[in-house]
Amino acid sequence: MNTPQDTAAWHPVARSADLRPGANIVAGFAEGQELALWRAADGTAQAWENRCPHRSVRFTLGQVVDSRLACAYHGWQYQAGSGQCTSIPAHPAMQAPRNVCAKTFGTAEAAGMLWVNLSPEAPPVPDELRDAVPGGWHFCRTLTVRAPAATARAALVQHGMAASSPGWRGRLGGAETLALVLDAQPGLAFIHLWTEAAPGSAAMKALHTAARQLRTDIEALPRG
């Protein structure tokens, strides 16, 4: 049987619904790597190092132009997929330098989440990711926890949740719940919660209350 460690190379960085084609740029993190998350006009999800290779300005300050990401500083544009610089607006007649590329990472969309792999060549997406969230379940919330991801995972076990690749599953606040843990930065974890409880229901409200208490409990645990 697979365990969450088998899919540890894939990080659940954001909800797929939070990225709009050709529109917003979302800041993300995985294992300390700062990310710029966005969609090209054709809907393909992109995860790039959040740094323009020209002057190191954060891409999240820029904008999406069709299927390119434009830096906010000098407007240099980089192509979705390859990260290759394609345009320098201040010098439209000049060919963009071939050796200037944004650093890109592998992405996959499964179970309502955008997953990122930080390896130069991402391996195939495991079936466990595609089946992570049961059909008909609903997103509850994302908890931002000021604690290491390992501490968050240990706390989920203490709350009666069991490893169920690629997350942890059990009852939280009385509702059947799946927790997907993101190792964002040292001392910072995100916990994405999905549940069988219907939006707006008493069960969903009870889960929100339990989630807030879970965060409090995790942040109160000793670290080491």
Side-chain angles (χ1 to χ4, degrees):
M1 179 177 176
N2 290 327
T3 66
Q5 285 68 36
D6 295 324
T7 54
W10 288 96
H11 304 280
V13 294
R15 279 201 312 159
S16 291
D18 292 336
L19 300 176
R20 303 185 302 276
N24 60 331
I25 308 170
V26 175
F29 297 92
E31 293 186 349
Q33 174 66 62
E34 187 175 352
L35 302 169
L37 310 171
W38 59 287
R39 287 190 191 279
D42 65 0
T44 55
Q46 311 289 315
W48 293 9
E49 181 181 31
N50 194 14
R51 183 187 69 83
C52 175
H54 178 220
R55 296 294 185 186
S56 296
V57 174
R58 283 183 171 87
F59 274 128
T60 44
L61 299 174
Q63 62 179 324
V64 179
V65 180
D66 193 19
S67 290
R68 300 179 302 279
L69 199 56
C71 177
Y73 191 21
H74 289 119
W76 287 32
Q77 297 182 10
Y78 302 84
Q79 185 64 39
S82 66
Q84 177 69 49
C85 180
T86 59
S87 175
I88 301 177
H91 303 281
M94 185 177 75
Q95 183 177 4
R98 295 182 178 275
N99 63 336
V100 178
C101 288
K103 187 174 183 179
T104 67
F105 302 106
T107 62
E109 293 194 78
M113 299 293 301
L114 172 62
W115 304 75
V116 171
N117 191 299
L118 299 179
S119 300
E121 294 186 9
V125 179
D127 290 338
E128 290 86 347
L129 298 191
R130 303 190 187 283
D131 301 329
V133 179
W137 279 35
H138 308 282
F139 180 75
C140 173
R141 64 179 298 175
T142 294
L143 290 176
T144 301
V145 181
R146 294 185 297 273
T151 301
R153 295 184 181 104
L156 290 171
V157 174
Q158 292 176 6
H159 280 72
M161 302 190 76
S164 176
S165 182
W168 281 258
R169 186 167 170 175
R171 301 193 75 82
L172 190 62
E176 190 69 20
T177 304
L178 172 73
L180 300 174
V181 180
L182 171 64
D183 182 352
Q185 294 180 325
L188 180 68
F190 295 154
I191 305 177
H192 308 291
L193 297 176
W194 293 78
T195 180
E196 64 177 358
S201 66
M204 181 67 85
K205 294 177 182 178
L207 177 54
H208 275 280
T209 300
R212 290 192 293 269
Q213 184 59 51
L214 172 64
R215 177 171 55 200
T216 298
D217 293 346
I218 293 173
E219 293 180 344
L221 290 172
R223 307 179 191 183

